[in-house]
Amino acid sequence: MAKGKKKTKSKARPKKSKKKKKSVLLFPKFFQKWSLIFIGLFALLGLLASLNFPRMTPTDETTVAFIAEIGETSRYLAARNDLYASVMIAQAILESDSGQSQLSQKPLYNFFGIKGEYNGQSVTLPTWEDDGKGNPYHIDAAFRSYGSVENSLQDYVEFLEGSYYVGVHRSKTRSYKDATAALTGVYATDTTYGDKLNSIIEQYQLTIYDTY
């Protein structure tokens, strides 16, 4: 046998295991996801604010709720009595401060500031009048007490059957603006009464109640 060099076994070098780099997260994935959603919402709100969309004030919300309370009954009564529901609702808003005045509270429910008695029921309260020249003055007056919302609305349409209010009826007018003009200086002494009603009708789009 031929003699050769003695083979030496080479020691296998241990393989170095690669250490996995741990990703450093500031928040768990759950919070990352929702943080992005919130950021998006805030960005959207900022955009909407920059577009100057009108916001409802507490007064607007009260008025909208009041319109919802009397709107459909007013629509029905006005249609059956040749009146504008838009004018009827606007008067109730103006006269009762959207149902917040003392006179409009239970059990009075006088939404239209109508003086006198109703079935023998009335209440005396202070009120402001206009002398016809734009000068206000204070008096105490007796106002009708109705006992229910329905009685108040029904008595209003009957009240406008008087000869003083012929010009308020739909058959005698071209639009609600003719009716509000006819009320000025007659229903109320306020010389700007019609303008105030027109503004309310336009602001709350009350003409939608004129269709039945």
Side-chain angles (χ1 to χ4, degrees):
M1 290 181 65
K3 292 182 180 179
K5 291 184 179 179
K6 193 175 183 180
K7 294 182 179 179
T8 59
K9 293 180 179 179
S10 59
K11 295 181 179 179
R13 294 181 180 178
K15 293 182 180 179
K16 293 182 178 179
S17 58
K18 292 182 180 180
K19 293 182 178 179
K20 293 182 180 179
K21 293 183 179 180
K22 294 182 178 179
S23 59
V24 179
L25 296 175
L26 295 177
F27 300 101
K29 289 183 178 180
F30 175 81
F31 291 107
Q32 279 191 327
K33 175 184 176 182
W34 283 100
S35 64
L36 290 174
I37 292 173
F38 283 122
I39 291 170
L41 285 174
F42 282 121
L44 178 60
L45 290 173
L47 175 62
L48 292 175
S50 68
L51 294 176
N52 294 321
F53 282 116
R55 297 179 181 177
M56 289 187 71
T57 65
T59 302
D60 289 331
E61 292 175 358
T62 299
T63 302
V64 169
F66 182 64
I67 293 170
E69 180 183 1
I70 68 170
E72 291 306 320
T73 304
S74 298
R75 187 202 299 268
Y76 172 78
L77 290 173
R80 290 176 61 87
N81 291 275
D82 193 31
L83 297 171
Y84 291 95
S86 58
V87 176
M88 182 176 179
I89 297 168
Q91 279 195 275
I93 291 170
L94 181 59
E95 295 285 350
S96 74
D97 190 22
S98 299
Q100 300 303 300
S101 69
Q102 182 180 357
L103 190 58
S104 64
Q105 300 304 304
K106 181 181 179 179
L108 307 177
Y109 295 114
N110 191 327
F111 296 142
F112 300 96
I114 299 177
K115 298 183 178 71
E117 295 182 350
Y118 179 80
N119 292 339
Q121 301 298 310
S122 67
V123 62
T124 299
L125 293 173
T127 185
W128 288 96
E129 299 291 344
D130 190 306
D131 64 1
K133 298 179 181 179
N135 302 313
Y137 62 95
H138 172 269
I139 63 168
D140 289 330
F143 293 89
R144 299 182 184 186
S145 177
Y146 292 107
S148 73
V149 173
E150 292 74 17
N151 287 344
S152 178
L153 299 177
Q154 179 63 49
D155 188 58
Y156 166 85
V157 298
E158 293 176 6
F159 185 76
L160 292 190
E161 289 298 321
S163 58
Y164 282 114
Y165 303 107
V166 173
V168 177
H169 290 257
R170 296 188 70 153
S171 59
K172 303 293 183 180
T173 56
R174 292 168 297 177
S175 74
Y176 72 84
K177 289 185 178 180
D178 290 338
T180 58
L183 288 167
T184 305
V186 180
Y187 188 96
T189 55
D190 183 355
T191 54
T192 63
Y193 194 70
D195 294 333
K196 290 175 180 177
L197 294 177
N198 293 340
S199 178
I200 293 170
I201 291 169
E202 291 164 11
Q203 181 178 355
Y204 295 101
Q205 301 178 1
L206 297 180
T207 53
I208 63 173
Y209 289 96
D210 288 332
T211 57
Y212 182 74

